[in-house]
């Protein structure tokens, strides 16, 4: 299972970096989203995937000795999902505004200054 997730992470990172290096702002946004998803799976993989019970200690026990799922990676992934959603929604609004003003999403057209007619 871990090997499949490692391959998935590699594919998501490679596709994300490839899309970030393209000239279109839409592809840049998609690349950032793929990198975010790859990072979420990486955090999930590093958190030791274990099927288990919630870490609740019964009233008669002093120490929890059963196999349990660690809640910290799950909380980190949830936080990363919320942050990436906020970043994505801001980037979509920004992209829509830039396209409405300039009529293009090509990054090279955005970097060159306009030539004034003399």
């Amino acid at each position: 299972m871990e090997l499949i997730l490692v391959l998935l992470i590699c594919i998501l990172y490679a596709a994300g970096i490839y899309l970030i290096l393209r000239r279109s702002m839409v592809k840049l946004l998609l690349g950032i989203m793929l990198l975010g998803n790859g990072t979420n799976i990486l955090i999930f993989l590093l958190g030791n995937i274990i099927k288990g019970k919630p870490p609740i200690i019964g009233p008669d026990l002093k120490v929890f000795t059963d196999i349990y799922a660690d809640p910290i990676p799950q909380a980190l992934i949830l936080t990363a999902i919320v942050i990436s959603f906020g970043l994505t929604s801001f980037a979509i609004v920004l992209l829509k505004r830039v396209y409405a003003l300039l009529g293009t999403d090509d990054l090279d057209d955005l970097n060159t200054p306009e030539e004034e007619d003399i």
Side-chain angles (χ1 to χ4, degrees), residues 43-44 47-48 50 52-53 55 68-81:
I43 293 171
F44 186 66
N48 292 331
I50 296 174
K53 301 174 187 173
Y68 66 94
D70 190 13
I72 298 294
Q74 297 171 16
L76 287 174
I77 291 171
L78 184 61
T79 304
I81 288 171

Side-chain angles (χ1 to χ4, degrees), residues 45-109:
L45 184 64
L46 293 177
N48 292 331
I49 303 169
I50 296 174
K51 288 183 180 179
K53 301 174 187 173
I56 298 173
I57 300 175
D60 56 339
L61 297 174
K62 292 187 179 188
V63 179
F64 190 75
T65 58
D66 242 354
I67 295 176
Y68 66 94
D70 190 13
I72 298 294
Q74 297 171 16
L76 287 174
I77 291 171
L78 184 61
T79 304
I81 288 171
V82 170
I83 290 171
S84 69
F85 177 73
L87 176 70
T88 302
S89 60
F90 176 73
I92 288 172
V93 170
L94 186 65
L95 176 66
K96 183 179 176 185
R97 182 73 178 147
V98 167
Y99 188 77
L101 286 175
L102 300 175
T104 184
D105 71 335
D106 191 1
L107 291 173
D108 285 343
D109 292 342

Side-chain angles (χ1 to χ4, degrees), residues 12 21 23-24 28 38-39 56 66 68-69 71 80 86 96 101 114:
L12 287 174
L21 296 176
R23 288 174 42 181
S24 173
L28 175 74
T39 304
I56 298 173
D66 242 354
Y68 66 94
K96 183 179 176 185
L101 286 175
E114 287 187 27

